[in-house]
Amino acid sequence: MKKILFVAALVLVLAAPAIAAPPGQLNYGCGLGATVFKDGGANDSILLQLVATFLNGLCGNGTFGISSGTSECAKPKNVAGNERLNEFAYKNLDDLARDIAAGQGETVTTVAVLLDVPVESRPAFYKNLQAGFPEIFPTPTTDTAHVVDAITKIAARG
Protein backbone atom coordinates (compact mmCIF):
# COMPACT_ATOMS: atom_id res chain seq x y z
CA MET A 1 0.00 0.00 0.00
CA LYS A 2 2.85 2.39 0.86
CA LYS A 3 4.45 1.71 -2.53
CA ILE A 4 1.23 2.63 -4.36
CA LEU A 5 0.94 5.87 -2.38
CA PHE A 6 4.60 6.63 -3.08
CA VAL A 7 4.16 6.03 -6.83
CA ALA A 8 0.96 8.13 -6.88
CA ALA A 9 2.73 10.97 -5.05
CA LEU A 10 5.71 10.71 -7.41
CA VAL A 11 3.44 10.88 -10.48
CA LEU A 12 1.65 13.93 -9.05
CA VAL A 13 4.94 15.67 -8.31
CA LEU A 14 6.27 14.94 -11.78
CA ALA A 15 3.00 15.86 -13.48
CA ALA A 16 2.38 19.08 -11.57
CA PRO A 17 4.54 21.26 -13.85
CA ALA A 18 2.91 19.73 -16.92
CA ILE A 19 -0.58 20.36 -15.58
CA ALA A 20 0.16 23.87 -14.31
CA ALA A 21 1.88 25.16 -17.46
CA PRO A 22 -0.11 27.32 -19.89
CA PRO A 23 -1.13 25.81 -23.27
CA GLY A 24 1.40 26.11 -26.09
CA GLN A 25 4.32 26.03 -23.69
CA LEU A 26 6.80 23.15 -23.70
CA ASN A 27 5.32 21.74 -20.50
CA TYR A 28 8.05 19.26 -19.75
CA GLY A 29 11.00 21.65 -19.80
CA CYS A 30 14.38 20.65 -21.13
CA GLY A 31 16.57 17.58 -20.88
CA LEU A 32 16.53 14.14 -22.44
CA GLY A 33 12.71 14.17 -22.71
CA ALA A 34 12.80 17.45 -24.64
CA THR A 35 15.45 15.99 -26.94
CA VAL A 36 13.36 12.87 -27.59
CA PHE A 37 10.12 14.84 -28.10
CA LYS A 38 11.53 17.78 -30.09
CA ASP A 39 9.36 20.73 -31.14
CA GLY A 40 6.71 20.03 -28.51
CA GLY A 41 6.03 16.51 -29.80
CA ALA A 42 4.62 15.43 -26.47
CA ASN A 43 2.39 18.45 -25.84
CA ASP A 44 -0.75 16.70 -27.14
CA SER A 45 -0.65 13.82 -24.68
CA ILE A 46 -0.38 13.96 -20.92
CA LEU A 47 1.13 10.46 -20.95
CA LEU A 48 3.90 11.56 -23.33
CA GLN A 49 4.46 14.68 -21.24
CA LEU A 50 4.87 12.47 -18.17
CA VAL A 51 7.32 10.29 -20.07
CA ALA A 52 9.23 13.39 -21.22
CA THR A 53 9.24 14.77 -17.66
CA PHE A 54 10.51 11.44 -16.36
CA LEU A 55 13.25 11.39 -18.99
CA ASN A 56 14.22 14.98 -18.12
CA GLY A 57 14.67 14.01 -14.48
CA LEU A 58 16.47 10.77 -15.23
CA CYS A 59 20.03 10.89 -13.88
CA GLY A 60 19.86 14.67 -13.54
CA ASN A 61 20.21 15.24 -17.27
CA GLY A 62 17.83 18.23 -17.05
CA THR A 63 20.16 19.84 -14.53
CA PHE A 64 23.13 19.04 -16.73
CA GLY A 65 21.30 20.49 -19.74
CA ILE A 66 20.54 23.73 -17.92
CA SER A 67 24.12 24.21 -16.74
CA SER A 68 25.70 23.18 -20.04
CA GLY A 69 23.15 24.59 -22.49
CA THR A 70 22.49 21.19 -24.10
CA SER A 71 19.41 18.93 -24.37
CA GLU A 72 17.14 21.73 -25.65
CA CYS A 73 18.07 23.90 -22.64
CA ALA A 74 19.22 27.50 -22.87
CA LYS A 75 22.31 28.18 -20.79
CA PRO A 76 21.81 31.09 -18.40
CA LYS A 77 24.33 33.85 -19.11
CA ASN A 78 25.14 34.32 -15.42
CA VAL A 79 26.60 30.80 -15.15
CA ALA A 80 29.70 31.72 -17.13
CA GLY A 81 30.21 34.87 -15.07
CA ASN A 82 29.78 32.96 -11.82
CA GLU A 83 32.23 30.28 -12.97
CA ARG A 84 34.83 32.95 -13.63
CA LEU A 85 33.98 34.64 -10.31
CA ASN A 86 34.28 31.29 -8.51
CA GLU A 87 37.71 30.70 -10.01
CA PHE A 88 38.84 34.25 -9.26
CA ALA A 89 37.57 34.13 -5.66
CA TYR A 90 39.15 30.71 -5.10
CA LYS A 91 42.57 31.99 -6.19
CA ASN A 92 42.35 35.37 -4.43
CA LEU A 93 40.20 34.77 -1.35
CA ASP A 94 42.53 36.41 1.18
CA ASP A 95 43.14 39.49 -0.97
CA LEU A 96 39.42 39.69 -1.74
CA ALA A 97 38.57 39.65 1.97
CA ARG A 98 41.11 42.41 2.63
CA ASP A 99 39.81 44.57 -0.23
CA ILE A 100 36.14 44.06 0.67
CA ALA A 101 36.91 45.07 4.26
CA ALA A 102 38.66 48.19 2.93
CA GLY A 103 35.89 48.93 0.42
CA GLN A 104 38.36 49.26 -2.43
CA GLY A 105 41.14 47.50 -4.23
CA GLU A 106 42.10 45.54 -7.30
CA THR A 107 40.14 42.41 -6.39
CA VAL A 108 36.82 44.20 -5.79
CA THR A 109 37.31 46.00 -9.10
CA THR A 110 37.80 42.64 -10.80
CA VAL A 111 34.68 41.28 -9.09
CA ALA A 112 32.71 44.29 -10.38
CA VAL A 113 34.00 43.63 -13.89
CA LEU A 114 33.14 39.92 -13.70
CA LEU A 115 29.62 40.76 -12.51
CA ASP A 116 29.16 43.43 -15.21
CA VAL A 117 28.54 46.17 -12.66
CA PRO A 118 28.34 49.46 -14.60
CA VAL A 119 31.27 51.80 -13.94
CA GLU A 120 29.00 54.52 -12.53
CA SER A 121 27.51 52.04 -10.03
CA ARG A 122 30.79 50.62 -8.78
CA PRO A 123 31.38 53.02 -5.84
CA ALA A 124 27.98 52.04 -4.40
CA PHE A 125 28.73 48.37 -5.14
CA TYR A 126 32.03 48.62 -3.25
CA LYS A 127 30.26 50.26 -0.28
CA ASN A 128 27.61 47.52 -0.30
CA LEU A 129 30.32 44.86 -0.33
CA GLN A 130 32.09 46.59 2.55
CA ALA A 131 28.85 46.86 4.54
CA GLY A 132 28.10 43.21 3.74
CA PHE A 133 31.49 41.95 4.89
CA PRO A 134 30.01 40.04 7.88
CA GLU A 135 27.54 38.41 5.47
CA ILE A 136 30.23 37.53 2.94
CA PHE A 137 32.78 36.28 5.47
CA PRO A 138 30.77 35.16 8.53
CA THR A 139 33.70 33.07 9.82
CA PRO A 140 37.45 33.06 9.18
CA THR A 141 37.09 29.68 7.44
CA THR A 142 34.27 30.64 5.04
CA ASP A 143 34.45 28.67 1.80
CA THR A 144 34.63 30.21 -1.64
CA ALA A 145 31.15 29.05 -2.68
CA HIS A 146 29.56 30.97 0.19
CA VAL A 147 31.62 34.07 -0.60
CA VAL A 148 30.54 34.03 -4.26
CA ASP A 149 26.89 33.43 -3.36
CA ALA A 150 26.92 36.32 -0.87
CA ILE A 151 28.63 38.66 -3.34
CA THR A 152 26.15 37.85 -6.13
CA LYS A 153 23.24 38.40 -3.72
CA ILE A 154 24.65 41.79 -2.72
CA ALA A 155 25.21 42.66 -6.38
CA ALA A 156 21.62 41.68 -7.22
CA ARG A 157 20.30 44.08 -4.56
CA GLY A 158 21.86 46.93 -6.50
Side-chain angles (χ1 to χ4, degrees):
M1 183 66 176
K2 289 182 180 179
K3 289 181 181 178
I4 293 172
L5 290 174
F6 175 74
V7 170
L10 184 64
V11 168
L12 286 174
V13 167
L14 293 175
I19 295 169
Q25 180 180 346
L26 192 61
N27 294 340
Y28 40 89
C30 63
L32 180 59
T35 304
V36 171
F37 299 104
K38 280 190 172 210
D39 302 323
N43 266 352
D44 296 336
S45 167
I46 193 159
L47 181 61
L48 291 179
Q49 289 182 24
L50 292 174
V51 170
T53 302
F54 173 75
L55 290 174
N56 287 343
L58 194 65
C59 298
N61 66 66
T63 305
F64 174 75
I66 290 170
S67 59
S68 65
T70 60
S71 303
E72 306 297 321
C73 299
K75 188 174 181 176
K77 68 177 185 179
N78 287 342
V79 171
N82 285 346
E83 287 173 3
R84 293 175 57 204
L85 181 58
N86 275 325
E87 183 179 341
F88 177 78
Y90 179 76
K91 291 179 179 175
N92 301 288
L93 196 58
D94 291 337
D95 292 336
L96 184 60
R98 184 195 64 231
D99 289 351
I100 288 175
Q104 61 182 356
E106 185 178 336
T107 59
V108 291
T109 302
T110 304
V111 167
V113 170
L114 291 173
L115 291 175
D116 292 328
V117 175
V119 174
E120 63 274 6
S121 302
R122 288 183 186 171
F125 176 68
Y126 302 151
K127 281 186 177 182
N128 291 339
L129 286 179
Q130 187 178 26
F133 185 87
E135 179 184 345
I136 299 169
F137 294 98
T139 66
T141 59
T142 303
D143 64 357
T144 305
H146 175 82
V147 170
V148 170
D149 284 347
I151 288 173
T152 53
K153 285 178 186 173
I154 289 172
R157 289 184 214 149

